[in-house]
Amino acid sequence: MLSVFQRRDMYDSVVVDREQDVVLTTGQLYGLQVRRELERSFKPVIPFAPHLFGSGKTRFVKSYLELLKSMGERALIGPENISDCEKDRRRSFLDKLHEAVLLYVDLTELKPTDPKEKSLEWAVYYLIIKTACLKSGQGQPDPDECFKVFKLRTDVLIKKIREVLSMRTDQFLLVAFDEVGVLDESYGDFDFETTQDGKVFPYNDFVGIIRGLCLEDNVFFIVVGKSEGLNIHNNAISVSRVELTFIPLSPLEKDSIIEHLEKSSSFMFTGSPKVSQILCHQHFSTSELAELLLELTGGVPGLLVKAINYLLHCKLSQDHLLLSKESFWMIMNDSIATNYCVDPLLPRLSSLSKTRQRLLKMLTLLALYRIRFELDELVHLSSTCDVFLFDLVTDMCFYRRLIVDENHQERYEVLIPKLLIGYIEQSVKNDRLEWLLLQTLKSQPVEFFDESKCRVFEGLVATMFYLHFCYHPTDSLMFSILGQLSSVWNEMNLKFSSESTAYYMKSIHYTRSTSEVERTTFGINDWKKIVKEMLEFEKIYIPFEPTSRSPDILFKLHGRTSEQNLIVGIACKGRWSLNGIRWNEIVDEARKFLQPVHDQVLTIHPTFHCMLVIMSTKLSTSVATDLNHSSHCYSCGDRVAGDFWIPLNCELIILSESDVENFIGKDILSSLRSAFKSTDNPHSRSIGISTVQEIVLSLSQNN
């Protein structure tokens, strides 16, 4: 079906949302020129993009000069306060860069070359000149003749390239090396430098070659390709004396996908209309399509282009096709579509080793709980082996999203596109915990991508409740405590009969004043609708906005008869400083949940019950003292803090600090307390990768 289709793209895709990458790259190229003019013994600066397939690295380097011209002075002259002299200097550099010649060098063509077959330096030199000759239409040069002329002299090589490409001596030459990852497979092809302990590092040799070429005037380099980027970066600084600067190439957001759809044209349709004109119509907007594509691909450019290609193919073969949300998922969930989109990643995704499967849970938790990590964060694989988390994400076929906070601190998030989840599941099909984590990640709505709040506490509690319901309802200490406090809890069916997952539901707000809010939220008078239509049995729900007018976790249990229902809300109150939760806060939680559920639901269904569980990491002194440092249940007719009467068929359970600690784990809670005490969004270093791994171990034991 796709044999012809797979050989070419269905549309001319326009590169969008790369201004940040253009600014960074241009700044580094300018930095190289400045250093070169100041002294000869300088440390070269090279923009470097060590990313996985689909990140857009090849398209970026090929279109860099075009993107540069479209940005104008903004590519190098920003809002920062610089002198007029410096501005003139930068404008002069930009003018020359606009006239530069881009030489794209594909390193998959790198191979041992006569007459010095084992020399990486000669192989690189020959590949550069061969690429220049083919670009100019001169045909492939003879390697022996080239060697006689060049003799491994950089000045002669650059001079010859300028002749071949008809360049002036003062004209900028920009060489873009792509697929640098091939060096991982070249150990037997070349004589690499050997360390004292017998190890070889091909990237050090390669970067050293570029360093020598940087000594020549008006020559610049960009290096891209899947590789252990941070490891190479650190070695380049210490060994090769070259500064590699990462080009983020972050996944696209919704607005950028809309721009891509509206600017890209398809030559496969009469008149080459825009993609948005082909796939969208009055009942299915470009914004809706962009939202679905973002949810499917995570905004990864390569996956995005593949998905659009497939949709265009379907439209071309079925002219009557009118896309909708339902038909989109029907088309894109088909195995033919998903196989086409992720084809380059399939071999890696389908062969996860035991070690990588173990690390998979940790990376899934980082993605699910939105825990950001720093560039140099290390993961301990064993007592003798560490790996950079930055590189591990690439090795596991996942993606990184660069996040710059209000303090201009750069951190990364792990991105696992939903398109990949089905394939990962096949590799870990016997691991119920990983299945749960992946399914929960898959259930996150597209709006969740805009949320920055770290979800680790409520996510951990929801996951543990799910595991207890599925596998250990009779052995659960927490369930035993709830049963001792509440007779209603004991009357419920606590065993989930089928594997489910945690779902991120629409949030609950005071008002629904705008059409956008109305589409994505519930009102505080919608509890009847929520209980009847949203909350399904044997599923756990987490409202995805932290400001929602509901508890942090919701689920519904059924009793011995179909008429008996228990609606449960859990308020996860992370109190990480000295100040614990106070009575007025507990009453506020009860008022916003128990009262409206009673008024809107329980008055209509007298066999229904509602329970709110306060699970706080710390209680205030007055609360803890009043409860005698024990968990306590307030039932119908009880008055809480002299201010709130528990409604009919409702219960309020306040768990003691010790019961919460036993449920979460003392060491885990201690680490979270340390991480959260100063911010709502702690990163991996403040939480500790070891804590994340400990959470994985704790959850696995409950599995």
Side-chain angles (χ1 to χ4, degrees):
M1 177 181 175
L2 293 177
S3 56
V4 177
F5 165 55
Q6 285 179 319
R7 284 200 289 267
R8 59 175 175 173
D9 286 338
M10 298 286 289
Y11 74 110
D12 296 316
S13 60
V14 174
V15 179
V16 297
D17 192 29
R18 288 295 177 231
E19 287 82 2
Q20 178 187 13
D21 304 298
V22 171
V23 169
L24 184 145
T25 301
T26 308
Q28 298 308 309
L29 299 180
Y30 177 67
L32 171 59
Q33 182 74 342
V34 171
R35 294 185 186 190
R36 189 156 42 199
E37 291 174 355
L38 291 177
E39 55 176 321
R40 296 304 292 177
S41 59
F42 62 94
K43 180 183 288 187
V45 185
I46 301 173
F48 180 37
H51 301 291
L52 189 60
F53 156 82
S55 58
K57 51 191 181 298
T58 299
R59 289 296 306 274
F60 175 74
V61 295
K62 285 185 173 182
S63 58
Y64 167 71
L65 292 179
E66 179 183 341
L67 294 171
L68 176 77
K69 292 174 184 176
S70 67
M71 284 191 67
E73 290 189 352
R74 291 184 297 115
L76 193 57
I77 303 175
E80 68 271 18
N81 187 22
I82 57 177
S83 66
D84 291 339
C85 179
E86 175 63 16
K87 286 183 180 179
D88 291 340
R89 188 177 182 181
R90 295 188 180 196
R91 288 191 183 100
S92 176
F93 178 82
L94 278 175
D95 289 341
K96 296 189 69 174
L97 194 55
H98 289 161
E99 297 179 349
V101 173
L102 174 68
L103 186 63
Y104 173 80
V105 181
D106 185 354
L107 287 173
T108 59
E109 299 293 324
L110 184 70
K111 59 188 68 175
T113 306
D114 291 333
K116 293 178 69 66
E117 289 188 353
K118 288 292 184 178
S119 169
L120 176 65
E121 184 177 19
W122 168 239
V124 171
Y125 284 8
Y126 177 71
L127 180 59
I128 295 174
I129 189 62
K130 182 181 79 170
T131 303
C133 289
L134 293 176
K135 179 182 176 72
S136 66
Q138 296 185 20
Q140 184 168 317
D142 179 81
D144 290 307
E145 290 298 321
C146 288
F147 186 75
K148 290 178 183 177
V149 175
F150 302 148
K151 298 290 186 183
L152 296 180
R153 289 179 54 186
T154 57
D155 58 336
V156 180
L157 171 66
I158 299 302
K159 181 179 179 181
K160 182 62 177 177
I161 291 173
R162 292 187 181 280
E163 291 176 2
V164 169
L165 298 177
S166 302
M167 295 177 62
R168 306 186 309 272
T169 56
D170 65 341
Q171 192 172 1
F172 285 177
L173 171 64
L174 178 58
V175 181
F177 287 109
D178 196 1
E179 301 293 351
V180 69
V182 300
L183 292 173
D184 288 328
E185 304 168 3
S186 63
Y187 283 89
D189 295 337
F190 303 103
D191 289 330
F192 296 112
E193 290 188 23
T194 306
T195 61
Q196 292 182 347
D197 55 358
K199 295 180 180 180
V200 296
F201 296 92
Y203 291 100
N204 288 353
D205 294 55
F206 177 72
V207 172
I209 293 168
I210 297 179
R211 183 181 185 279
L213 291 169
C214 283
L215 297 176
E216 300 301 321
D217 290 335
N218 300 323
V219 182
F220 304 86
F221 296 89
I222 302 175
V223 178
V224 302
K226 178 186 176 299
S227 61
E228 292 184 353
L230 188 53
N231 198 33
I232 297 168
H233 169 274
N234 293 345
N235 283 329
I237 290 177
S238 61
V239 178
S240 306
R241 296 192 68 251
V242 171
E243 185 177 322
L244 299 177
T245 303
F246 292 128
I247 308 173
L249 295 179
S250 289
L252 304 180
E253 300 296 341
K254 179 181 172 180
D255 288 346
S256 299
I257 296 176
I258 291 175
E259 182 184 359
H260 177 80
L261 293 169
E262 291 178 342
K263 288 185 176 180
S264 301
S265 303
S266 177
F267 50 86
M268 300 295 291
F269 294 80
T270 304
S272 295
K274 303 301 183 185
V275 171
S276 58
Q277 296 173 325
I278 300 169
L279 297 178
C280 302
H281 48 85
Q282 66 181 42
H283 301 298
F284 185 67
S285 67
T286 307
S287 177
E288 289 175 286
L289 177 58
E291 190 171 286
L292 293 171
L293 287 167
L294 174 60
E295 189 159 340
L296 177 72
T297 67
V300 174
L303 299 179
L304 177 71
V305 169
K306 286 262 192 177
I308 294 173
N309 267 322
Y310 192 85
L311 291 172
L312 289 172
H313 168 75
C314 292
K315 181 65 176 177
L316 190 65
S317 58
Q318 306 172 45
D319 185 54
H320 63 281
L321 174 66
L322 287 178
L323 275 182
S324 64
K325 182 176 182 179
E326 292 73 23
S327 63
F328 174 91
W329 288 116
M330 187 178 298
I331 292 170
M332 297 312 303
N333 283 333
D334 185 274
S335 60
I336 296 177
T338 54
N339 285 344
Y340 165 72
C341 291
V342 305
D343 181 64
L345 305 177
L346 280 179
R348 191 73 170 169
L349 289 171
S350 59
S351 59
L352 292 177
S353 66
K354 293 287 186 182
T355 300
R356 290 167 71 222
Q357 285 185 26
R358 177 168 54 85
L359 295 170
L360 179 60
K361 293 190 188 74
M362 182 194 71
L363 291 176
T364 308
L365 278 180
L366 291 175
L368 183 60
Y369 298 159
R370 300 184 70 81
I371 301 174
R372 297 169 182 175
F373 66 93
E374 295 186 344
L375 179 65
D376 59 348
E377 194 84 11
L378 280 171
V379 176
H380 300 289
L381 299 183
S382 66
S383 58
T384 58
C385 181
D386 295 335
V387 63
F388 288 111
L389 180 53
F390 184 93
D391 293 338
L392 180 62
V393 172
T394 303
D395 183 60
M396 294 289 287
C397 290
F398 299 152
Y399 298 87
R400 296 175 296 265
R401 179 188 285 110
L402 176 65
I403 305 294
V404 182
D405 64 21
E406 63 276 5
N407 298 318
H408 305 292
Q409 291 290 318
E410 293 187 354
R411 295 192 177 93
Y412 297 86
E413 286 181 350
V414 178
L415 171 64
I416 305 178
K418 294 185 180 183
L419 199 53
L420 305 183
I421 289 178
Y423 297 94
I424 302 170
E425 288 174 342
Q426 295 174 20
S427 298
V428 293
K429 55 187 175 183
N430 296 322
D431 190 324
R432 292 178 294 188
L433 173 59
E434 182 58 38
W435 178 89
L436 166 67
L437 297 175
L438 288 170
Q439 286 298 312
T440 305
L441 185 64
K442 193 173 183 178
S443 77
Q444 286 184 355
V446 66
E447 293 95 336
F448 193 74
F449 291 127
D450 298 323
E451 267 299 323
S452 60
K453 184 176 174 60
C454 186
R455 312 299 296 259
V456 61
F457 182 49
E458 62 206 51
L460 177 58
V461 172
T463 304
M464 294 186 75
F465 262 88
Y466 167 82
L467 293 173
H468 285 225
F469 277 127
C470 279
Y471 309 119
H472 308 290
T474 58
D475 300 329
S476 169
L477 178 60
M478 177 54 66
F479 286 10
S480 176
I481 292 170
L482 293 174
Q484 293 170 25
L485 296 170
S486 168
S487 59
V488 176
W489 180 269
N490 285 327
E491 294 174 5
M492 294 297 115
N493 182 356
L494 302 179
K495 172 67 176 176
F496 280 9
S497 59
S498 61
E499 291 186 333
S500 181
T501 180
Y503 287 82
Y504 287 83
M505 63 173 281
K506 298 175 183 179
S507 292
I508 301 164
H509 286 255
Y510 276 122
T511 61
R512 296 187 295 174
S513 57
T514 67
S515 58
E516 181 67 15
V517 172
E518 185 174 356
R519 189 177 66 82
T520 60
T521 66
F522 290 111
I524 59 173
N525 296 318
D526 284 342
W527 278 106
K528 180 180 177 181
K529 182 178 181 181
I530 293 168
V531 171
K532 182 179 179 180
E533 300 179 13
M534 274 296 303
L535 299 183
E536 297 180 27
F537 291 114
E538 303 191 1
K539 290 183 179 179
I540 293 178
Y541 296 84
I542 303 176
F544 63 77
E545 288 187 12
T547 57
S548 63
R549 297 296 302 171
S550 73
D552 300 294
I553 298 169
L554 286 167
F555 54 86
K556 184 169 66 174
L557 302 175
H558 55 79
R560 295 186 179 92
T561 66
S562 59
E563 291 80 17
Q564 288 180 301
N565 282 190
L566 176 61
I567 304 151
V568 181
I570 301 177
C572 300
K573 312 307 289 184
R575 291 297 183 267
W576 312 108
S577 62
L578 296 176
N579 300 318
I581 187 171
R582 301 183 302 273
W583 277 119
N584 65 309
E585 296 174 277
I586 293 174
V587 169
D588 285 345
E589 291 292 329
R591 269 207 184 96
K592 77 179 184 183
F593 179 59
L594 295 180
Q595 195 65 60
V597 172
H598 168 268
D599 296 344
Q600 300 170 39
V601 180
L602 304 190
T603 53
I604 303 173
H605 301 282
T607 59
F608 283 21
H609 286 73
C610 184
M611 173 188 290
L612 175 64
V613 180
I614 303 293
M615 184 173 286
S616 178
T617 56
K618 187 173 182 59
L619 304 176
S620 67
T621 302
S622 62
V623 173
T625 302
D626 290 347
L627 298 179
N628 197 25
H629 301 280
S630 300
S631 296
H632 187 79
C633 177
Y634 290 88
S635 301
C636 169
D638 291 342
R639 197 161 100 176
V640 183
D643 193 33
F644 178 72
W645 295 89
I646 301 296
L648 180 65
N649 289 348
C650 291
E651 292 179 329
L652 169 64
I653 291 179
I654 306 173
L655 295 173
S656 67
E657 291 180 24
S658 59
D659 285 340
V660 173
E661 184 178 274
N662 289 333
F663 183 61
I664 301 297
K666 183 177 181 179
D667 292 339
I668 293 175
L669 207 53
S670 176
S671 296
L672 294 181
R673 184 175 290 111
S674 175
F676 277 96
K677 64 184 179 182
S678 59
T679 177
D680 285 337
N681 294 296
H683 51 85
S684 59
R685 175 155 286 148
S686 57
I687 292 176
I689 286 296
S690 60
T691 300
V692 179
Q693 293 175 314
E694 191 175 344
I695 291 173
V696 169
L697 180 61
S698 175
L699 293 174
S700 299
Q701 291 171 347
N702 284 286
N703 187 358

